[in-house]
Amino acid sequence: MMRASTTWLVLLVLLAFAWLGLPAWPADGAPDLQRWMVYLDGLYLSGYLAIGLMSVAMVLALRMPWLERWVGGLDRAYRLHKSLAEWGIGLALFHYGLRLLVKELRGSGLMVKPKGLASQAVEALRPFHGTAKDWAEWALYLAVALVVVALWRRVPYRWFARLHRLLPATYLVMVYHSVVFLPQGYWQGLGWPAAGLIMALMLFGSVAALMSLFGRVGLRRRVAGEVLEVKQLALDVLELRLKLAPGWPGHESGQFGLATFDSREGAHPFTIASSWKGDGELRFAIKALGDYTRNLPTLLKAGDAAWVEGPYGRFVFADGKPRQIWVGGGIGMTPFLARMQELAQLREAASSALPTAEAPALLAQQVDLFYCTRKGDPDITRRITELAAAAGVNLHVLESTTQGQLSVERLMAMSPQWREASLWFCGPARFGQALREGLLAGGLAAGDFHQEAFEFR
């Protein structure tokens, strides 16, 4: 929901500014002139919106901490990045298609360019028109192909990641095209705010594109590490224990890191399955969901080098509610395992008369955890049960093959004080959407439903 509303907000802001620089319609209302002015308005508006949206998308890809806080987590920043990029490239296609359509209409005599109409081109940039047109045309073809690759899930992630690195280059070509063809109306009178905004966006977007091309994104948040243990668990889950070099700032339970075990494969996002103890160690619990994760058990061994970038994410349980309901679907249990470890450590510290300042509030919080799995493994269920007991969490284990799936009605019945709680969900997107719609319809505030949008493609 936030992604859609934010996308529309960015679109409307850009549209309002773009309107300021449109050429004024002459007093002569001849039909040919009217059609031509409609064409120019469509051409300039679509071009302005396209490069503006792509510029914001490029900046969102920088993984900047302040941007992450603003949109509610890196996972949401990437979803918004994807949405804005798709809109931007779609509008660029419309912009290009409109130009081709009018060219064909003029060739067939169905549309006429009025004589004596003042040119909107900036005279000093006319020598660059040829290259700006040709390069942008090929860049658009490539950008569309790369978007198709990104949306086609059959393409392996490693190929998607490698090809996706070409998009910043196509963006820079489109910036060149936009600067050359920005109408002179944007540099005059009321058009100045529009020119200022779009030039600023293209400047920041170009810096982001260059950082991406030269591998500088997230570099300062990247820490070297070593694999200490590779352990294959049941249900196709791999547990990795890593030791990180000094420089890792620590993480909150529920956050994730971008882990690189092979530079050719690139970084993959994995939720951190352990709380931070300050000893440099962290664990990942990785579900075999694709070719890469399925082969990790045979590719990794103790002593292998690793890089971890982060921490990222705002799925950190910080809302101050007296009650929380956690719902973990399959490997979506990972953030809750880290949180339970943290609570268990706080309870242990409190029992030894060494409580932290935050311990009383956290330990007084009532938590219901629903562990939803198709068919559980006795060893994994036992480990979760023991950890929940140590953390003081009320655990509900639901195996869909024998007990059915967790529904909204069932959750309300098993946790009758749900209206006083916040709900934290991590698992299949459709499952989460069904719970969200049902609980919000029942009276839960939208701000009290938290869902990990763990999708980077």
Side-chain angles (χ1 to χ4, degrees):
M1 292 299 292
M2 177 191 170
R3 174 179 58 168
S5 60
T6 305
T7 299
W8 279 109
L9 177 61
V10 175
L11 263 170
L12 290 173
V13 170
L14 286 171
L15 182 61
F17 275 85
W19 205 269
L20 297 175
L22 292 180
W25 283 40
D28 180 5
D32 286 345
L33 179 59
Q34 290 181 350
R35 284 193 291 269
W36 192 261
M37 294 307 296
V38 169
Y39 159 63
L40 287 183
D41 285 354
L43 191 70
Y44 296 151
L45 285 175
S46 58
Y48 189 99
L49 291 174
I51 197 63
L53 292 173
M54 286 188 280
S55 297
V56 178
M58 287 301 310
V59 173
L60 285 170
L62 283 178
R63 305 200 283 267
M64 301 293 288
W66 66 271
L67 277 173
E68 184 188 10
R69 289 192 296 270
W70 178 60
V71 299
L74 184 63
D75 50 349
R76 284 171 172 79
Y78 267 109
R79 291 181 69 185
L80 182 58
H81 158 84
K82 177 182 175 182
S83 177
L84 293 177
E86 289 172 353
W87 269 92
I89 293 173
L91 283 163
L93 271 175
F94 174 83
H95 174 86
Y96 178 59
L98 181 61
R99 176 176 165 271
L100 292 182
L101 174 62
V102 170
K103 183 178 180 180
E104 289 297 320
L105 291 175
R106 290 180 65 190
S108 61
L110 296 175
M111 191 168 182
V112 178
K113 180 179 180 180
K115 295 180 179 180
L117 188 66
S119 172
Q120 290 296 311
V122 176
E123 193 62 33
L125 298 177
R126 280 189 181 277
F128 302 99
H129 282 195
T131 55
K133 285 180 181 178
D134 295 341
W135 293 1
E137 183 177 348
W138 287 106
L140 181 59
Y141 294 154
L142 179 57
V144 171
L146 293 173
V147 168
V148 171
V149 168
L151 296 175
W152 192 14
R153 296 306 180 108
R154 290 183 178 274
V155 177
Y157 181 87
R158 63 181 180 275
W159 287 109
F160 154 74
R162 290 174 185 174
L163 292 171
H164 204 68
R165 294 169 188 165
L166 296 174
L167 272 175
T170 67
Y171 166 78
L172 290 173
V173 174
M174 293 181 189
V175 166
Y176 170 59
H177 174 90
S178 301
V179 170
V180 169
F181 285 105
L182 188 66
Q184 61 182 351
Y186 283 95
W187 301 105
Q188 302 167 352
L190 293 176
W192 270 106
L197 175 63
I198 203 65
M199 294 302 289
L201 288 177
M202 289 192 292
L203 175 61
F204 292 132
S206 297
V207 171
L210 290 171
M211 290 180 65
S212 179
L213 286 172
F214 289 98
R216 307 300 295 180
V217 176
L219 190 61
R220 294 184 178 181
R221 305 187 74 181
R222 202 173 303 160
V223 178
E226 179 185 348
V227 177
L228 295 180
E229 184 181 16
V230 181
K231 187 176 182 180
Q232 181 67 60
L233 305 179
L235 305 178
D236 291 325
V237 175
L238 179 69
E239 184 178 74
L240 296 180
R241 186 163 62 93
L242 282 75
K243 177 72 172 183
L244 300 183
W248 183 255
H251 58 270
E252 296 181 69
S253 301
Q255 291 190 297
F256 63 90
L258 299 177
T260 302
F261 304 109
D262 182 346
S263 59
R264 295 169 298 179
E265 178 68 28
H268 285 252
F270 299 121
T271 299
I272 302 170
S274 56
S275 60
W276 180 244
K277 301 178 182 178
D279 57 0
E281 289 193 14
L282 57 78
R283 287 188 296 111
F284 290 120
I286 302 170
K287 177 75 171 179
L289 297 174
D291 292 343
Y292 178 68
T293 50
R294 193 173 294 114
N295 292 327
L296 272 181
T298 59
L299 296 175
L300 292 179
K301 63 182 183 301
D304 283 350
W307 290 88
V308 181
E309 180 190 328
Y312 293 111
R314 308 303 298 170
F315 193 82
V316 293
F317 308 97
D319 61 6
K321 286 278 186 175
R323 288 181 173 274
Q324 288 187 348
I325 299 171
W326 303 345
V327 180
I331 197 61
M333 278 293 294
T334 306
F336 305 118
L337 298 178
R339 182 62 166 181
M340 286 193 292
Q341 287 183 24
E342 181 183 1
L343 293 176
Q345 292 166 19
L346 289 174
R347 289 170 68 90
E348 184 179 355
S351 65
S352 62
L354 295 173
T356 64
E358 63 180 348
L362 287 179
L363 296 180
Q365 194 175 57
Q366 301 297 307
V367 178
D368 283 310
L369 168 59
F370 292 86
Y371 170 39
C372 304
T373 180
R374 189 180 65 84
K375 185 178 181 181
D377 174 78
D379 184 54
I380 290 179
T381 301
R382 176 185 56 78
R383 291 174 61 181
I384 294 174
T385 302
E386 291 174 354
L387 186 54
V393 169
N394 185 26
L395 175 66
H396 309 274
V397 179
L398 296 176
E399 297 185 13
S400 61
T401 53
T402 57
Q403 300 169 279
Q405 293 185 339
L406 177 67
S407 64
V408 173
E409 295 75 19
R410 194 172 183 180
L411 185 149
M412 292 176 175
M414 296 177 70
S415 186
Q417 294 175 298
W418 61 271
R419 286 187 178 86
E420 304 170 12
S422 59
L423 192 139
W424 298 77
F425 175 86
C426 187
R430 291 184 180 177
F431 181 22
Q433 186 64 25
L435 289 180
R436 176 186 170 85
E437 291 175 355
L439 290 170
L440 265 58
L444 185 73
D448 287 334
F449 190 97
H450 307 271
Q451 182 172 355
E452 182 73 278
F454 210 71
E455 192 169 294
F456 277 56
R457 183 179 178 181

